[in-house]
Amino acid sequence: MKTNFVKRLLAFLILAAMMSSVCCAAEDTAPSVKCYNGTFVGMRENGIASFKGIPYAKPPIGELRWKAPEPVEADDGTYDATHFGKSAIQLKASSELASMNPEGQSEDCLTLNIWTADLEKKNKPVMFWIHGGAYSYGGTSDPLYDGQYLVAEHPDILLVSCNYRVGPMGFIDFSKVEGGENFPTSGYNGLLDQIQALKWVQQNIEAFGGDPENVTIFGESAGGGSVTELLIADGTEGLFQRAIAESGAVNFTMTHERFAEIGVAQKFLEKANGVCMDDLMALSETELTEIYLDESDGQAIGAMSVLPLRGEDSILPDDPYQALLDGAGKDVDLIIGTTADEMRYFIDDVCEPALADTEGEEYERLLQTKLELFGKYVTGAKVDRVYSMCTAEEKENLDRFLALHADEEEIWAKTALMNEYSFRAPAIMTAYNHAMSGGSGKTYMYHFRKKNTNYDWIGACHACELSYVFHNLTDEQFSGKVVPELADAVCGAWASFAVNGVPVIDGIEWPEYSPDNRETLIFNDDCSISVENDPKSEERQLIETILHYYVAM
């Protein structure tokens, strides 16, 4: 049995080889667009024009390391745009093919990509993709995010995707480090990168036929969290009109206290044999990367859990949910939702190799090992941490939640609790407060229940909807075999929402989410589509009592 991962990796390498062999085509055939920072010459893939690796900010290197992104400068040069830019520095992960980008990794990673069917047509709605990866991994070069399929299906859409700094290069709190006062944005630079990319879009997208006044940001996981954070962040007014948050919400944030508890800044200094910011800034990129990725003591800095800083000294408010209720983002149309089995995605991540790289008895042995480790991970650190923060009454609510799953194995009951706590309940609260804000923005909610058809243990896991969103019918790693008709529906709803703020699915009315009824569109496992009011209401109510702790996972 050859694996989905191997097939994805092979496709990735073939694509890279094809791109490497592409020289700038003749001037009369290669698509070429003049922007503020240069003329970019792209390529055509199956009739779709693509432009890859366009810088949207100055490289965050040298004196700009751990600083807010700075705008690009005017440039009259002509540049090749047939290759993705380098990925942000990160550990390699089998679930994140961008971490193995053939173009490499670098601090110099702030680039974006554009796909369009017709450079002559003007005022096309713009969909702006923000990739996921737990704020520590990922990038736009992953074939799953190939924009040509969505644009081919909906040629009136123009698609943009952007890289941003991840992990402690994009999200680290230096406020307790000597000299850290000179790096005031270090806790949320990754978000500032996204904002700068959106500003570049405002300045340049008309040259590609896009409408800068009709921009929809969308993302999944950390990308979904980023979408909701951009709703409430300072400095984003007018950069987008609509937002789609998949499996991510405003709970994906941290305080100064949580950063200190994790100790990522101190770990960085220890590994660098440093005591202050000058020591970190003196590192060459090679030295910094080696330290960042070093796992010799069992814990690489790049693997330490980090999220955008909220509260004091941040562009994000101390209480993100309250900010939504008070009207932040109230005039932006919003779709938000989750999958049915979010946490099962992480079963395959607990150790190497990927399950898809094995077969027969080896596969069965590895699966059992992963399930044991995942069980310890879910029933141990994660659930125990939640209980440790709760009052006696809140602990009783958690016990009542688990009692609702008494007929399941403990591992799956506690996985269901973490699904709710980390993903679904925060998304519901985000939708509810957005709908309650009194603004002109519409609110829509979904729940994706289509299970992976390749492995029964993974269910409708985190990221399983992405092949459907991108109409990427051959990428099966998270979705299993993609059903074209369901892809038509999901991709079509996302695209129509980008056009005018109304998600349209033939034969189905997707009602707006209201605080009274909590209308939710369900993408069912049998590929049918239905509407439920307040699905799993009792579970929601029990978990909502502890959402004020804000810890993502």
Side-chain angles (χ1 to χ4, degrees):
M1 180 182 73
K2 263 311 185 196
T3 79
N4 292 320
F5 169 65
V6 168
K7 288 191 285 187
R8 289 185 76 223
L9 182 57
L10 181 60
F12 186 44
L13 295 175
I14 290 173
L15 177 62
M18 290 172 61
M19 291 192 303
S20 296
S21 68
V22 175
C23 297
C24 285
E27 293 276 338
D28 59 344
T29 59
S32 176
V33 174
K34 180 173 176 54
C35 301
Y36 176 76
N37 55 319
T39 296
F40 295 96
V41 182
M43 62 187 291
R44 294 194 183 277
E45 305 167 90
N46 302 315
I48 303 300
S50 65
F51 302 83
K52 297 169 181 166
I54 299 176
Y56 64 81
K58 292 180 181 178
I61 60 176
E63 292 301 313
L64 295 183
R65 179 185 290 171
W66 286 307
K67 294 289 185 68
E70 294 191 358
V72 291
E73 295 178 348
D75 191 334
D76 290 328
T78 299
Y79 301 96
D80 173 71
T82 60
H83 299 71
F84 287 109
K86 295 181 185 296
S87 294
I89 298 172
Q90 60 193 271
L91 289 168
K92 292 185 177 181
S94 61
S95 59
E96 298 288 349
L97 286 186
S99 68
M100 294 173 272
N101 184 355
E103 301 298 328
Q105 299 182 7
S106 176
E107 289 185 273
D108 183 4
C109 61
L110 301 186
T111 60
L112 54 75
N113 320 290
I114 298 169
W115 289 266
T116 182
D118 184 356
L119 285 167
E120 300 302 318
K121 185 171 182 179
K122 304 303 180 184
N123 297 318
K124 292 190 291 289
V126 178
M127 295 185 72
F128 182 95
W129 171 250
I130 304 173
H131 71 79
Y135 295 92
S136 295
Y137 301 87
T140 59
S141 62
D142 193 318
L144 179 57
Y145 309 143
D146 191 334
Q148 66 170 304
Y149 306 114
L150 187 155
V151 171
E153 192 71 13
H154 298 280
D156 288 340
I157 295 292
L158 185 150
L159 181 62
V160 181
S161 64
C162 81
N163 282 343
Y164 56 94
R165 284 171 284 183
V166 298
M169 297 309 300
F171 306 97
I172 187 170
D173 179 17
F174 284 130
S175 62
K176 304 291 192 298
V177 176
E178 181 183 342
E181 65 275 8
N182 297 319
F183 301 84
T185 64
S186 62
Y188 52 91
N189 276 331
L191 284 183
L192 292 179
D193 293 343
Q194 297 164 17
I195 293 172
Q196 185 58 44
L198 285 163
K199 290 179 178 178
W200 187 96
V201 166
Q202 289 295 308
Q203 184 180 33
N204 295 280
I205 207 64
E206 283 185 287
F208 295 85
D211 182 356
E213 296 184 359
N214 189 359
V215 176
T216 297
I217 58 174
F218 71 127
E220 185 269 344
S221 191
S226 296
V227 164
T228 61
E229 288 148 9
L230 293 177
L231 278 178
I232 61 176
D234 295 336
T236 61
E237 295 80 4
L239 295 180
F240 54 89
Q241 290 67 46
R242 281 175 272 285
I244 305 174
E246 305 170 36
S247 301
V250 293
N251 60 316
F252 287 5
T253 54
M254 281 184 178
T255 60
H256 286 297
E257 292 73 21
R258 179 61 175 148
F259 268 109
E261 180 183 348
I262 293 173
V264 61
Q266 187 59 38
K267 186 78 170 180
F268 221 129
L269 286 171
E270 291 172 1
K271 288 208 172 193
N273 295 317
V275 296
C276 65
M277 290 305 302
D278 285 346
D279 296 324
L280 296 182
M281 291 296 289
L283 296 171
S284 68
E285 181 178 75
T286 299
E287 292 171 327
L288 180 141
T289 302
E290 289 175 353
I291 292 169
Y292 188 91
L293 303 180
D294 173 46
E295 299 180 88
S296 61
D297 63 355
Q299 186 178 41
I301 292 169
M304 297 181 76
S305 177
V306 291
L307 301 169
L309 176 70
R310 75 169 190 272
E312 184 182 0
D313 306 322
S314 176
I315 57 172
L316 298 177
D318 184 59
D319 189 335
Y321 292 121
Q322 187 63 44
L324 284 165
L325 194 60
D326 290 343
K330 65 184 176 65
D331 296 324
V332 176
D333 298 322
L334 173 67
I335 291 177
I336 189 167
T338 58
T339 70
D341 303 298
E342 297 276 4
M343 291 296 294
R344 294 193 184 205
Y345 168 98
F346 301 99
I347 292 172
D348 208 17
D349 267 4
V350 295
C351 66
E352 296 288 347
L355 277 163
D357 291 336
T358 62
E359 57 185 9
E361 292 183 1
E362 182 185 1
Y363 169 87
E364 294 299 333
R365 285 195 299 270
L366 182 60
L367 175 59
Q368 289 308 308
T369 297
K370 287 181 183 266
L371 286 174
E372 289 174 10
L373 291 172
F374 177 73
K376 292 177 182 178
Y377 171 77
V378 173
T379 63
K382 298 301 181 182
V383 172
D384 287 352
R385 174 171 170 75
V386 175
Y387 268 86
S388 71
M389 296 184 295
C390 292
T391 65
E393 182 179 355
E394 290 165 348
K395 290 176 181 177
E396 289 181 5
N397 287 338
L398 295 180
D399 291 339
R400 289 171 58 194
F401 182 99
L402 292 174
L404 296 174
H405 295 265
D407 59 342
E408 303 174 23
E409 293 182 51
E410 181 183 43
I411 184 175
W412 303 127
K414 292 190 173 181
T415 299
L417 190 155
M418 292 308 300
N419 289 339
E420 196 74 22
Y421 175 65
S422 299
F423 293 101
R424 197 178 81 97
I428 292 172
M429 182 67 77
T430 299
Y432 182 90
N433 287 8
H434 183 264
M436 285 286 291
S437 67
S440 61
K442 299 181 288 294
T443 312
Y444 299 91
M445 184 140 212
Y446 73 87
H447 197 230
F448 196 88
R449 298 175 181 173
K450 180 68 180 71
K451 296 179 181 178
N452 186 304
T453 56
N454 294 337
Y455 307 105
D456 56 5
W457 48 267
I458 203 168
C461 72
H462 191 64
C464 68
E465 85 285 6
L466 287 178
S467 291
Y468 290 92
V469 168
F470 280 90
H471 214 274
N472 192 335
L473 303 183
T474 61
D475 198 308
E476 299 182 6
Q477 183 176 20
F478 306 123
S479 65
K481 186 174 179 59
V482 180
V483 180
E485 293 77 14
L486 185 58
D488 292 346
V490 176
C491 182
W494 268 227
S496 64
F497 179 76
V499 172
N500 58 18
V502 179
V504 175
I505 301 175
D506 288 345
I508 301 291
E509 180 184 354
W510 188 337
E512 289 186 46
Y513 188 90
S514 68
D516 291 334
N517 296 323
R518 299 177 181 269
E519 297 89 341
T520 304
L521 192 80
I522 310 296
F523 296 102
N524 293 296
D525 187 38
D526 64 1
C527 294
S528 65
I529 300 172
S530 57
V531 175
E532 295 181 20
N533 289 349
D534 200 7
K536 299 196 290 184
S537 173
E538 187 174 1
E539 293 187 12
R540 171 189 61 76
Q541 293 177 64
L542 291 170
I543 297 300
E544 279 184 349
T545 63
I546 61 171
L547 288 189
H548 57 281
Y549 293 114
Y550 289 101
V551 180
M553 291 192 294

